[in-house]
Amino acid sequence: MARVAGVSQSTVSIVLAGKAEGRVKPETGRAVREAAESLGYRPNVAARNLRLGRTRTVLLVVPTLASPFFGAVYTGAARDAAERGFGVVVHPWPDDANPARSPVDIEAIDGVLASSIAGGVAGLGDVPLVVMDSDPADPAPAVNFDVTGGMRAITAHLAELGHRRFGHLAAAVDAWTFRVRGEVLAEAGPLIRRTTAIDVAAARAAALDLLDRPDRPSVLVCDDDLIAAGAYKAARTLGLDVPGDLSVTGFDDILVATAVEPELTTVRLPAEELGAQAMTALLECLDGHHPPGVSLAGELIVRGSTAPPANG
Amino acid sequence: MARVAGVSQSTVSIVLAGKAEGRVKPETGRAVREAAESLGYRPNVAARNLRLGRTRTVLLVVPTLASPFFGAVYTGAARDAAERGFGVVVHPWPDDANPARSPVDIEAIDGVLASSIAGGVAGLGDVPLVVMDSDPADPAPAVNFDVTGGMRAITAHLAELGHRRFGHLAAAVDAWTFRVRGEVLAEAGPLIRRTTAIDVAAARAAALDLLDRPDRPSVLVCDDDLIAAGAYKAARTLGLDVPGDLSVTGFDDILVATAVEPELTTVRLPAEELGAQAMTALLECLDGHHPPGVSLAGELIVRGSTAPPANG
DNA sequence: TTGTAAGCGTTATCAC
DNA sequence: GTGATAACGCTTACAA
């Protein structure tokens, strides 16, 4: 670059890295910075990455960008990363557009944070890795929600209201978090279950199937807030009042939980905290340590969608 | 690497780049691939980027990951990119966690796609750039929605129903797209306006302010579907039926539009198409061309939230 | 058909 | 306080 623009190469590097203190004349430093400024010079990231052998960049791998949940995970992770001078880029995976290519081959990175990856994390490659919201049986360090506790809070709340038999709208996704939800619910008492895509229209159809029958359950426990929105629609279709005729619960406490009416009783999952803790763990790994797994408690948020069953 | 594992360096490169055809003995090729496999070898991305001077990676810059809208933009962009062998990584910006650092310094990239960046795109640096959903006055090639047409479709629909005076819940975001919405609406007739954050609770408060008065408007035109969800809540609080007592319209047709009840009359913005067209334009730029700007029509989706005004 | 060698732009080491 | 120089791991002529 600006070896033309004043003096010469290593000096430029030193100045622009902010290591000039006591090693470069203030005057020279200023000259370098001015030259860089006027030339619009930006150091070549690829070259730096190669030389240093590290990138100070972490890849956040998420199943989809269509859920605001992962925005919160990112926020937590990025905040924690910034404190240590790391940047975060995001990539959905597996990728319909490009099933073969692993996200770690797209960019030069130091490590990967993977959230809620249903199919498991094999095939990502051999990078330092921390998984979130994933099966604790995974070999990688894991930061998880206490899904069991969250679901138990829901069943306890419903039992206290007097509900005895649950309808379960289960997500048709083969992920640890949903398996656990189903298991815990099954332990809590008799239930009838339908699976559905995580999608309002599909959930509505599944809910109709569960409700349009003589022995319909007094409550629909939904694996996800979006599924609960579908349950609302089914209830309305059948002329059932929520929560008078039918209680509904969600899971996650994403945005839609307060956008619907009545607002949804759900379990708030601390997504930002998840991202932050996972980033902390990953940076530990990069320092050569082996951080322990973490489990984050959810919080039952009782809103207007649950009430005692109609007939006692 | 596997200069140990069989033969030597350039051969490895050729084989793994898939350029072995007629230049390397099939047998040697196989040996190399086996060695790579067993060693778990992956070429160093940083070195490749440096040598090639290109990365075949594009950075998608978005204001937030909390809106599913940008998930759709990504999907379109990534599909188009994959066809040309490019990858896409996503980064929110400006970044609260790290206001100073430009996203282009985080990663080695060939170009940037920036969507809906309110503060403008200066400060991103000097990379090849295509902007989406941004002020067409920007110097960069732009792919935009026909917001004017979309808002006119809404006002025409409302006028036909008999609405004469609009309440406008405007997004408190200084972005081109929202300025246009306000201007077009103002041309269409008398209105009263409140601004609000794009957030259900804030929108509810603003809507209450607009509705809890003797001369309340017969319709609330909202800059965004999420704001419309807040308008629903205000209506409910005041005991107003939607659409019987109050019509509501949104903009974008994101997920929440069909999650609420009644479903929302809104303008569907083709977000995937936006991403795809922008990626096409960016790849054109990278080939040294100067693609023209593009404007994508939205589509009025009439659902259950609009009806004639109560008193004629 | 395969090996040798140069060079991408940076940072770190060391001599001046 | 500053300038040479080597090396990071890869691709691509070109030589063998």
Side-chain angles (χ1 to χ4, degrees), chain A residues 69-165:
Chain A
F69 177 82
F70 299 107
V73 174
Y74 169 84
T75 302
R79 188 186 338 107
D80 203 74
E83 285 170 13
R84 307 267 306 261
F86 276 71
V88 182
V89 294
V90 186
H91 193 82
W93 184 79
D95 190 343
D96 299 331
N98 215 342
R101 199 175 183 187
S102 163
V104 310
D105 292 330
I106 292 181
E107 276 298 346
I109 53 177
D110 288 345
V112 170
L113 244 41
S115 182
S116 317
I117 303 299
V121 107
L124 255 185
D126 203 19
V127 279
L129 170 69
V130 170
V131 298
M132 296 174 268
D133 192 26
S134 298
D135 195 329
D138 265 342
V143 178
N144 275 314
F145 296 123
D146 176 13
V147 177
T148 301
M151 191 49 101
R152 287 213 176 114
I154 286 180
T155 57
H157 168 65
L158 293 174
E160 193 174 346
L161 288 172
H163 296 275
R164 292 288 166 261
R165 184 160 155 275

Side-chain angles (χ1 to χ4, degrees), chain A residues 255, chain B residues 63-64 66-68 70 116 118 169-175 177-178 181 195-204 206 222-230 251-252 254 256:
Chain A
L255 186 144
Chain B
T64 173
S67 166
F70 299 107
S116 317
L169 284 176
V173 174
D174 181 30
T177 186
F178 295 122
R181 294 172 201 199
T195 60
T196 169
I198 301 180
D199 164 64
V200 175
R204 175 179 173 276
C222 305
D223 267 2
D224 182 280
D225 291 350
L226 218 50
I227 293 177
F251 217 101
D252 281 4
I254 56 172
V256 75

Side-chain angles (χ1 to χ4, degrees), chain B residues 210-292:
Chain B
L210 225 42
L211 292 175
D212 198 8
R213 48 196 290 167
D215 63 337
R216 69 173 165 80
S218 60
V219 57
L220 251 29
V221 176
C222 305
D223 267 2
D224 182 280
D225 291 350
L226 218 50
I227 293 177
Y232 275 42
K233 292 205 165 278
R236 185 166 167 118
T237 302
L238 297 174
L240 300 173
D241 177 63
V242 176
D245 302 316
L246 178 73
S247 289
V248 176
T249 66
F251 217 101
D252 281 4
D253 195 34
I254 56 172
L255 186 144
V256 75
T258 54
V260 293
E261 197 70 53
E263 298 191 353
L264 187 65
T265 294
T266 188
V267 169
R268 173 174 301 162
L269 263 21
E272 278 198 31
E273 183 68 9
L274 184 84
Q277 296 256 3
M279 182 60 76
T280 302
L282 180 59
L283 296 179
E284 290 272 299
C285 288
L286 296 181
D287 287 345
H289 304 136
H290 292 274

Side-chain angles (χ1 to χ4, degrees), chain B:
Chain B
M1 125 194 193
R3 44 215 67 152
V4 191
V7 284
S8 65
Q9 188 169 176
S10 34
T11 314
V12 173
S13 178
I14 292 174
V15 170
L16 268 59
K19 296 178 178 173
E21 205 60 23
R23 307 175 57 186
V24 168
K25 251 193 297 194
E27 175 188 325
T28 315
R30 203 167 332 107
V32 169
R33 271 186 294 270
E34 277 170 15
E37 179 75 20
S38 76
L39 293 183
Y41 167 80
R42 324 193 62 118
N44 181 306
V45 182
R48 189 215 305 276
N49 289 346
L50 176 57
R51 172 66 234 240
L52 261 26
R54 327 150 300 164
T55 63
R56 298 193 88 76
T57 296
V58 167
L59 183 69
L60 173 63
V61 173
V62 299
T64 173
L65 254 20
S67 166
F69 177 82
F70 299 107
V73 174
Y74 169 84
T75 302
R79 188 185 339 106
D80 203 73
E83 285 170 12
R84 307 266 307 259
F86 277 71
V88 182
V89 294
V90 186
H91 192 82
W93 184 78
D95 190 343
D96 298 332
N98 215 342
R101 200 176 185 189
S102 163
V104 310
D105 293 331
I106 292 181
E107 278 297 345
I109 53 178
D110 288 344
V112 169
L113 245 41
S115 181
S116 317
I117 303 298
V121 106
L124 256 184
D126 203 20
V127 279
L129 169 69
V130 170
V131 298
M132 295 174 268
D133 192 25
S134 297
D135 196 328
D138 266 342
V143 178
N144 275 315
F145 295 124
D146 176 12
V147 178
T148 301
M151 190 51 102
R152 289 213 175 115
I154 287 180
T155 56
H157 167 66
L158 293 174
E160 193 175 345
L161 288 172
H163 296 274
R164 292 289 167 261
R165 183 159 154 276
F166 305 130
H168 182 203
L169 284 176
V173 174
D174 181 30
W176 166 80
T177 186
F178 295 122
R179 274 199 304 280
V180 173
R181 294 172 201 199
E183 289 164 12
V184 172
L185 196 58
E187 288 168 9
L191 61 78
I192 52 177
R193 172 179 291 161
R194 290 292 177 279
T195 60
T196 169
I198 301 180
D199 164 64
V200 175
R204 175 179 173 276
L208 278 176
D209 196 32
L210 225 42
L211 292 175
D212 198 8
R213 48 196 290 167
D215 63 337
R216 69 173 165 80
S218 60
V219 57
L220 251 29
V221 176
C222 305
D223 267 2
D224 182 280
D225 291 350
L226 218 50
I227 293 177
Y232 275 42
K233 292 205 165 278
R236 185 166 167 118
T237 302
L238 297 174
L240 300 173
D241 177 63
V242 176
D245 302 316
L246 178 73
S247 289
V248 176
T249 66
F251 217 101
D252 281 4
D253 195 34
I254 56 172
L255 186 144
V256 75
T258 54
V260 293
E261 197 70 53
E263 298 191 353
L264 187 65
T265 294
T266 188
V267 169
R268 173 174 301 162
L269 263 21
E272 278 198 31
E273 183 68 9
L274 184 84
Q277 296 256 3
M279 182 60 76
T280 302
L282 180 59
L283 296 179
E284 290 272 299
C285 288
L286 296 181
D287 287 345
H289 304 136
H290 292 274
V294 176
S295 181
L296 301 173
E299 181 191 2
L300 178 69
I301 310 281
V302 177
R303 298 201 181 95
S305 70
T306 45
N311 50 358

